[in-house]
Each structure stands twice: as structure tokens, then as C-alpha cells.
Amino acid sequence: MRNVKVGICQMQVELDKNINLQKAENMIREAAGCGSNIVILPEMFNCPYDTKYFPVFAEAYPGDTSDMLSHLAKELGVCIIGGSIPEKDGDAIYNTSYSFDKEGKLIGKHRKMHLFDIDVEGGVRFKESDVLGYGQEATVFDTEYCKVGVAICYDMRFPELIRLMCKAGAEIIVIPAAFNMTTGPAHWEITVRTRALDNQVYFIAASSSRNLDFTYHAYGHSCIANPWGAIIKEADEKEYILYGELDLDMVQKVRKELPLLKHLRNDIYEVCKK
């Protein structure tokens, strides 16, 4: 049996970076202490989700946040998927996720590819591209458990990207995210379930908790969908560590019993990397 335990840290992000980093460390330590093999943080976990804060909180790599994640991964012997932070690279800023193995080595870096530029009448208006640059690569990396794909929030709405990650061998796909109170109730669960069942993977969506002190209110509801498209674990909107046991043998079992990926008509259509 190939089993892996994950801990999703649905943390409440504050205005002070030091408080956020200390809270993230405390939650990572707690999740590791409870047996998690992979610990996951949410999108923009060291910074309020607001374009005006991204340049203020931005860090180059390596920096305080990535160093903390690397050191904790090695000390605790866990894989850490470090949500995302504003990454400064020259004059550009990206929404970037860093992942580390249990030796503290950087094994994955994903820059958000699809920027959240929306204007829903009577709902939410947000334009990441005012501040952030576009990532250019799908991100899949090896762990001792299986191949893991990482994308960020709005990325999960684009099935072609998730299929590319599946074709690259991902059995677990992790999405640090911060859906809001307009899109969350409408689209969060159905998107998580659909991406899981279409690609027959474990699909993990890791949100921050809801902080009403800011103008952007995260939906929360971090969750895990299995390869059959069922939600097996889900949080509410509060700060919480959500644990899940993933039976990786189920990925191959479902793919054998319902061989969607073998039935693709690649002679007619195909998702491929340019």
C-alpha cells in the first residue's frame, strides 16, 4: 500500500509578516507532530491577499520565508508545499509557491500562470496583473511518495493545465488558493471535484481562513477530493489544520476500472506543451 498523510494549514493571515511566519511555523510543527508526511500552506500565507501589499511583502529567493520553510522541512523530516508568497525577481513580482523535500531541498517552484483579473457585478473586483507577472511553466516534481503537481488558485479553473500535470505523472495535485465569498460558494467544491475526477488524481485545495478585518474575504473550506471525485475531507471557514490520508493505490485502481485517460482521442484532440 502507498499511503501518505497530508496536513493542510488553513491559517488566518494577518497584516504583520512576522506574525504570519510564526503562525505558519507553529502550524507546520503541529501538523508534522500529528504524523503528516506532506504539509501544505495557503496562497499568500505571509501577506494579506491584496495587490497593494504584494510589493511591500515581496521577497527574493532565498529569503526569510523560503529559508524558514527549508529549515523546517529538514528539521521535521517532512515535505512542505509552501503555499505561495509574493516573489521579487528584479523589477517583477510573481505569486510563487516553493516546495521542499524532507532534506530541506527546493524541489518545486511554481509561479501563478493565470492571473486573477475579474470584475463580477455586485460581487468582487480584483486585478492581479496590475502588480504581478505571469508564470510560464506547469509544475510537477518528484517526492518519495509520488509525483506532485502544484498550481495556484485561479490556475485550477483551466483544465488544460491540470491535464498537462496529469500527463507529466502527477498523482496528487495541490492548489494553494484564496477563493472569495463570490466565487467560493459557487465554484470551489465543483471545480475541485471536477479536476479530481477528470484526471483521476487526488486534488487538494488549500485556502487561508476567513479574516473579516480585510476587504478580501477568503472562502476557506480547504478540502481534498479523491480520484473518484468525492470530497473526503473539508474544513469550514475558520483557522484549522485539515488532515487527510491518501491511498495512492486508489489512483491506479480508478484509472484501471474507468480508463478515461486511455480513452482519450489523441488522434483528434490533444493537450500538449508548447
Side-chain angles (χ1 to χ4, degrees):
M1 292 182 64
R2 296 187 302 142
N3 286 358
V4 59
K5 183 173 182 178
V6 298
I8 304 169
C9 301
Q10 184 170 283
M11 62 176 280
Q12 180 150 312
V13 178
E14 308 291 350
L15 191 54
D16 187 312
K17 182 190 286 190
N18 291 329
I19 291 174
N20 293 330
L21 294 186
Q22 186 61 60
K23 183 178 293 187
E25 178 178 343
N26 293 344
M27 295 183 83
I28 291 168
R29 289 187 180 279
E30 181 176 343
C34 290
S36 299
N37 309 114
I38 300 174
V39 183
I40 302 160
L41 293 168
E43 182 180 22
M44 291 295 181
F45 76 91
N46 75 349
C47 172
Y49 188 72
D50 190 318
T51 54
K52 70 183 180 184
Y53 293 120
F54 297 162
V56 179
F57 282 67
E59 298 180 12
Y61 178 85
D64 291 343
T65 302
S66 57
D67 284 349
M68 179 200 76
L69 296 176
S70 174
H71 294 154
L72 281 174
K74 184 174 183 179
E75 176 191 343
L76 301 173
V78 296
C79 174
I80 296 177
I81 297 176
S84 77
I85 67 169
E87 175 210 1
K88 186 171 179 59
D89 184 2
D91 294 331
I93 299 173
Y94 299 93
N95 186 341
T96 302
S97 179
Y98 301 102
S99 297
F100 298 90
D101 67 13
K102 65 181 184 181
E103 302 300 324
K105 178 184 175 183
L106 181 70
I107 53 174
K109 175 181 176 179
H110 180 75
R111 288 173 170 171
K112 191 174 187 176
M113 296 175 64
H114 304 89
L115 297 185
F116 188 55
D117 289 358
I118 69 162
D119 190 356
V120 179
E121 185 176 355
V124 62
R125 184 184 187 280
F126 206 90
K127 195 172 183 182
E128 281 188 323
S129 65
D130 283 344
V131 174
L132 299 177
Y134 289 87
Q136 302 296 327
E137 294 288 337
T139 303
V140 176
F141 50 84
D142 290 305
T143 72
E144 64 184 282
Y145 311 105
C146 66
K147 287 184 180 291
V148 174
V150 173
I152 299 173
C153 200
Y154 196 50
D155 284 340
M156 72 191 264
R157 289 184 177 271
F158 298 87
E160 298 85 357
L161 172 60
I162 308 305
R163 176 56 52 83
L164 276 177
M165 296 160 76
C166 172
K167 290 180 67 174
E171 294 183 89
I172 300 171
I173 292 177
V174 178
I175 310 288
F179 272 41
N180 55 70
M181 291 303 298
T182 300
T183 59
H187 301 152
W188 177 256
E189 182 175 313
I190 193 172
T191 306
V192 169
R193 293 185 64 195
T194 301
R195 296 294 168 265
L197 69 89
D198 276 354
N199 297 284
Q200 299 177 313
V201 294
Y202 280 98
F203 197 92
I204 301 172
S207 175
S208 51
S209 66
R210 193 175 307 160
N211 189 340
L212 298 178
D213 291 337
F214 297 121
T215 56
Y216 189 93
H217 300 154
Y219 180 57
H221 290 266
S222 296
C223 59
I224 304 168
N226 70 16
W228 194 250
I231 299 292
I232 58 173
K233 290 286 183 178
E234 184 172 3
D236 57 16
E237 77 283 2
K238 303 179 187 67
E239 189 169 77
Y240 183 72
I241 301 178
L242 182 72
Y243 296 102
E245 293 274 358
L246 311 187
D247 173 9
L248 295 176
D249 290 334
M250 185 183 183
V251 176
Q252 300 308 319
K253 180 176 185 293
V254 169
R255 290 180 178 181
K256 180 179 179 181
E257 294 174 346
L258 182 63
L260 296 177
L261 302 174
K262 287 185 178 180
H263 292 162
L264 293 170
R265 288 295 305 272
N266 290 323
D267 58 324
I268 298 175
Y269 55 82
E270 186 175 9
V271 175
C272 58
K273 186 176 180 181
K274 286 186 177 181

